[in-house]
Amino acid sequence: MLMGQLASAQTLVFAQAGLPTTLDTGEDDNSRTAAYQILENLVSLVPGSSQLQPALATSWEASEDATRWTFRLREGVTFHDGTPFNAEAVVFNFERWNNSDHPYGFRSLDNDVDNNISKTFVPWIWLFSGFDDVSLLESITALDDMTVQLNLRDSMSFLPAILASGYLGLHSPTAVQAAGVDYGTSAVGAVGTGPFQIDTWTTGTTTDELVLTRFDGYWGEASSVARLVILGIEDATERLTQLQNGTVDIAVNLSADDLDVIEDDAGLEAVTSTPNLNVGYLAFHQDNEPLNNPLVRQAVAHAIDRDAIVATFYGSLGATAYQHVPPNLWGRAELANTHAYDPEQAQRLLTEAGYPSGFDTELWYMPLSRPYFPSPEPVAVAIASYLADVGINVALKTENWGTYLETYPTGDYPMYLLGWQADIADPDNFLYTLFGPAGQADLAWDAPRVTELLTTARQVGNQAERQALYAEIGLMVDDTLPQLAIAHSSTLRAVRMDISGFIPSPLGSTVNLASVREVE
């Protein structure tokens, strides 16, 4: 185990709940936090805020109807493998994500029949609605060696914010072509333009770690840290223990119960994220009876005391979620707590739905802590207890994180805990992601009016008009309840006092560890 050595400005050890599932457009925060050190976007966020700033694009402009966007690229940038960064590289990346028949998209299982591996690029669906003719991106064109134009099927006034998403880091075309379907895995890693490059990536051992080294050819300000070790430690208590022991310099996604421990330790400093741009929810997959009945879903909602769950498992770091858009972000509906804890109402609804004695089902919970569910198993146990009180007998189940992410959309999990951490500070990032075409498919929920409203909201440039559309969507979600929002949470991180100048970004997934100051 490498020891924390930041005082000598050599090695920083960072502990999170797990290693990346993939660095090829990863679908979870563990992947994106690591990818952010290696890959860069056309547009990025100012650290600690939701303000946009140039990254690999130095400037951009839109046509009057916001359907054509032109990006001028940064000159003098190379990928870690020496491949030049230019318009050709940008076009390669966007076409690879957008076109299902792209030769280096590796969608087909024929690429690796023995191991049954293929690429899905699910986050692209969240951001651009789908692939090919369904995609919002109609085409991307290289206007010259350092200028690209994105041509959209419909106007989108906030495209630069979408491009700052942690899913859209740009990869070396040379590396992708050479690695094949294994690109992004621990077998070959990933190659970007960022401040760090991959040294080693070890999995399946007693110490799972991703070791990065400073990229000396980086175009921007070089990191003061020469070596960055990212550890995957599922248990939050163990992450804190290693921080206290000095084997870790920064630990993230800690339990609310750890706050007092951290504050009482003179060698540690607690860092919490604000605002709470996340939501943890209970999802219902409607391919499973009787969860396809909205009365049953409403009964489940009334049976659960969300306020008690937040008070018990989140403490001062949590707030009860009454809708999916966080309270400090515009785009919310005017809602009372329409699904307040009321077990008698839950039983009345079950009777009306034809289940007076309840029913049996499964509730799946995540095997590791996430920002929106720092203690997923205890929360699942509490939910099961509340449901048992109204006759709903729940079998609690879990699975390793990679399998969990692959399986929840299939219908194999009747009810499951999951959540969303903002990529950008815009309600579209919550509502379109969770309830757009891809989100509805994940839930087997058919809501064409919601799709229509979400699509219109993407095309409207006026925030007041978008607010009205999102409020209507919020009311529809509250009425039909494809998911029950549980909590918004501030993420708890702990940092060794001798590096307390490190302040992680509140958007969680966009933590750039290269910004750690050198300790004098």
Side-chain angles (χ1 to χ4, degrees), residues 1-6 10-16 18-20 33-34 37 196-202 207-214 223 225-233 242 247-252 513-514 516:
M1 172 67 69
L2 291 168
M3 301 293 289
Q5 306 169 42
L6 191 61
Q10 294 301 309
T11 298
L12 174 72
V13 182
F14 180 88
Q16 59 181 20
L19 290 187
T33 300
Q37 319 310 316
F196 286 98
Q197 59 189 337
I198 293 178
D199 182 13
T200 60
W201 185 352
T202 306
T207 304
D208 287 354
E209 61 181 25
L210 173 60
V211 179
L212 309 178
T213 55
R214 182 169 52 207
S223 171
V225 178
R227 199 164 189 243
L228 170 60
V229 180
I230 299 177
L231 301 181
I233 304 172
Q242 293 205 29
T247 56
V248 163
D249 298 304
I250 301 172
V252 299
L513 301 179
V516 179

Side-chain angles (χ1 to χ4, degrees), residues 357-372:
S357 300
F359 58 92
D360 296 339
T361 189
E362 296 173 354
L363 170 58
W364 290 73
Y365 62 89
M366 296 166 292
L368 42 73
S369 59
R370 307 301 306 128
Y372 37 78

Side-chain angles (χ1 to χ4, degrees), residues 395-406:
L396 293 175
K397 297 188 176 184
T398 190
E399 183 55 275
N400 75 74
W401 186 226
T403 303
Y404 195 98
L405 290 175
E406 292 174 358

